Amino acid sequence: MHERPRRARPPDDSGRSDEWQRPPEESAQAGNRSGMSWPPRIPEPGDDLPPSARWYGMPVPPPPRRTGNRMRRVLLASLALAVCGGIVAGAVVLVLRVLPSPSSPAGSVIDTAAGVSYSLPDGWLAGTVPPVTAFTSAAGNGGTATVMVRPGEPVADVRKATVELSELYARLLLHGDEVEVLDDQPITVGGRTGHSRSLRAVYRDVVNRPAYLNVVFLTGSGGRPVVVVAVAQPDDLRLRAALDVVILGIR
C-alpha cells in the first residue's frame, strides 16, 4: 500500500490569528505583551498579595475598617453647630433655649419611642422637637433647665455605660474648664433599676455661670433601656430639685 500524501493546510482568510504558525518562543512572547502570565502565578506560603497584584501588578488596598461608636458619631454631628462657635458652654445655652414652645401641652410627656411617660413641674412645658438628635422627647422650664429622654441599648455593665455617657455629654454640652463629679450611685425609678451620675462644670471667665448635668441609665421592667439627660444652668439647688422631680416621675 502507498501512503496518501498529506495536503498542505490552506491559508485562513477569516481574520483569525496565525498563532499556530509561530514558533513556540514567539508565541510565548506575544502572549506576554499584555503584562499577564498564563497560567497565573500560584501564591507561595505567606504571600499576602491580592489576586490583582499577582495578575496585573496593581495591589488593591483592603477597605478601611469602621471604628468608633455609632452614638458618638450621631452626637458629634448633631452638636457640631453648637460647639464650633467657640463660645464656652454655648451648647448648654442652645439646649436650654431651644425648648419649649408656648403652644406645647403642659402637665406630662408621653414618650412612645422610649416606652415611658413623666410628669412635669409647674411652669414646665413639653418640647415640640428635642434639641439633640436621637432623643425622642424633652421638656424644660423655658431657659434654665431641660430634661431629654431617649431609648437606650442593652449593656452588660450599667454603671460603666452611665459613666461613659456622662463623660461624653460633659464634653459635648458643658465644655467646662473644671468638671467635678457630684454623685455616682445606683438608682430605682418607676420599677426600673439603673445608675445615676451627676457633674458640675465651672468656667474661668466671668460670663458663664456653673452648669449642672445629670445622666441616668435605666433598665428593667421588661422594657427597653432608657437614657435620661438633665441639664441646668446656672447650677443651684432649686433647679436640681426640679430636675429630680422629672427624673423620679418616669414611669
Side-chain angles (χ1 to χ4, degrees):
M1 294 179 66
H2 296 282
E3 183 177 358
R4 177 179 295 182
R6 297 181 181 179
R7 294 183 180 179
R9 184 170 182 175
D12 187 357
D13 296 332
S14 62
R16 293 179 299 179
S17 173
D18 60 345
E19 190 70 27
W20 62 276
Q21 296 178 347
R22 297 180 183 175
E25 297 80 2
E26 185 179 352
S27 299
Q29 294 176 0
N32 289 331
R33 289 175 183 174
S34 63
M36 295 178 57
S37 62
W38 188 263
R41 178 173 62 86
I42 300 176
E44 301 294 335
D47 188 354
D48 57 355
L49 292 176
S52 59
R54 294 195 296 269
W55 281 52
Y56 303 98
M58 300 174 58
V60 177
R65 296 182 178 179
R66 294 184 178 181
T67 58
N69 181 272
R70 177 176 179 273
M71 183 52 62
R72 184 184 300 273
R73 294 196 300 270
V74 172
L75 293 174
L76 287 173
S78 64
L79 294 173
L81 180 62
V83 301
C84 70
I87 303 176
V88 177
V92 177
V93 175
L94 175 68
V95 170
L96 296 175
R97 291 184 178 177
V98 168
L99 294 173
S101 66
S103 59
S104 300
S108 63
V109 175
I110 299 176
D111 190 331
T112 55
V116 298
S117 62
Y118 47 96
S119 301
L120 302 179
D122 293 339
W124 280 50
L125 295 174
T128 54
V129 178
V132 178
T133 301
F135 285 88
T136 51
S137 65
N141 66 354
T144 58
T146 296
V147 173
M148 298 178 289
V149 178
R150 68 170 176 83
E153 297 296 333
V155 297
D157 190 331
V158 176
R159 182 186 179 277
K160 180 181 179 181
T162 306
V163 171
E164 292 176 351
L165 286 173
S166 65
E167 292 175 351
L168 175 63
Y169 285 113
R171 291 194 301 270
L172 296 177
L173 295 176
L174 299 184
H175 282 259
D177 295 311
E178 297 180 12
V179 179
E180 174 189 4
V181 178
L182 300 178
D183 182 69
D184 188 336
Q185 64 180 2
I187 189 174
T188 300
V189 175
R192 296 173 179 262
T193 58
H195 202 87
S196 173
R197 195 167 194 254
S198 58
L199 308 174
R200 186 176 191 266
V202 296
Y203 309 91
R204 297 190 182 98
D205 59 78
V206 295
V207 177
N208 289 285
R209 294 171 291 178
Y212 174 81
L213 171 69
N214 186 18
V215 176
V216 178
F217 195 105
L218 299 175
T219 61
S221 293
R224 188 176 180 180
V226 177
V227 176
V228 184
V229 173
V231 189
Q233 190 185 38
D235 173 34
D236 62 42
L237 296 179
R238 179 181 57 85
L239 290 178
R240 290 191 197 180
L243 295 176
D244 289 342
V245 169
V246 178
I247 295 173
L248 295 177
I250 293 177
R251 298 292 184 268

